[in-house]
């Protein structure tokens, strides 16, 4: 059974930072691309970032480029997302996503087939 368990969310002021983690089980983590998606209140899922199976190629939606960093530790079966310079518009539930393949194909939601329950990030002064 594929399991994706996120942690690390919280409430921060604008300009603050958080580090999200996603612990996975139920599949061979090192052979699949992974990603992060988010869902703001009252809105649909938005793809945020992706990383290939080896961790050598990373991708970001334009609104987070230069502020967020995706990474993975294949030895620990864990995916990360470092969030810096947070803005109020980053407020959302952040979900970890398992890729369908070892690489990122389109850079959107269709690249993924499983999602976790999410961890809430709230940016507020």
């Amino acid at each position: 059974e594929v399991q994706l368990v996120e942690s690390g969310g919280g409430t921060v002021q604008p300009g603050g930072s958080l580090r999200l983690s996603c612990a996975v089980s139920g599949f061979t983590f090192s052979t699949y691309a992974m990603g992060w998606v988010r869902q703001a209140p009252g809105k649909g899922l938005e793809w945020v970032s992706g990383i290939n199976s080896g961790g050598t190629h990373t991708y970001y939606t334009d609104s987070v480029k230069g502020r967020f960093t995706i990474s993975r530790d294949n030895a620990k079966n864990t995916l990360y997302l470092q969030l810096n310079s947070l803005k109020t518009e980053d407020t959302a539930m952040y979900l970890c996503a398992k890729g369908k393949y070892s690489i990122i194909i389109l850079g959107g939601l269709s690249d993924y087939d499983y999602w976790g329950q999410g961890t809430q990030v709230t940016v507020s002064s």
Side-chain angles (χ1 to χ4, degrees):
E1 179 186 4
V2 173
Q3 290 193 329
L4 308 168
V5 180
E6 302 91 338
S7 62
T11 300
V12 297
Q13 293 185 340
S17 298
L18 285 171
R19 190 192 195 201
L20 308 183
S21 298
C22 174
V24 314
S25 61
F27 64 100
T28 306
F29 180 68
S30 61
T31 63
Y32 288 93
M34 296 292 296
W36 289 93
V37 302
R38 66 186 179 185
Q39 186 166 26
K43 297 188 177 182
L45 283 174
E46 176 192 21
W47 173 77
V48 175
S49 181
I51 186 168
N52 69 333
S53 59
T56 56
H57 292 80
T58 58
Y59 308 85
Y60 303 92
T61 191
D62 286 346
S63 64
V64 309
K65 283 180 181 177
R67 300 188 298 120
F68 292 8
T69 303
I70 191 172
S71 62
R72 64 191 296 162
D73 186 334
N74 286 347
K76 295 182 178 180
N77 285 359
T78 304
L79 177 73
Y80 303 100
L81 186 68
Q82 178 69 39
L83 291 67
N84 295 331
S85 302
L86 281 161
K87 304 176 180 180
T88 54
E89 53 263 43
D90 295 319
T91 293
M93 184 72 76
Y94 284 72
L95 294 78
C96 171
K98 173 190 168 293
K100 295 177 181 177
Y101 313 106
S102 62
I103 60 175
I104 301 297
I105 305 296
L106 297 175
L109 297 175
S110 61
D111 282 324
Y112 307 97
D113 53 8
Y114 289 91
W115 288 265
Q117 293 297 307
T119 185
Q120 178 67 38
V121 172
T122 302
V123 185
S124 174
S125 55

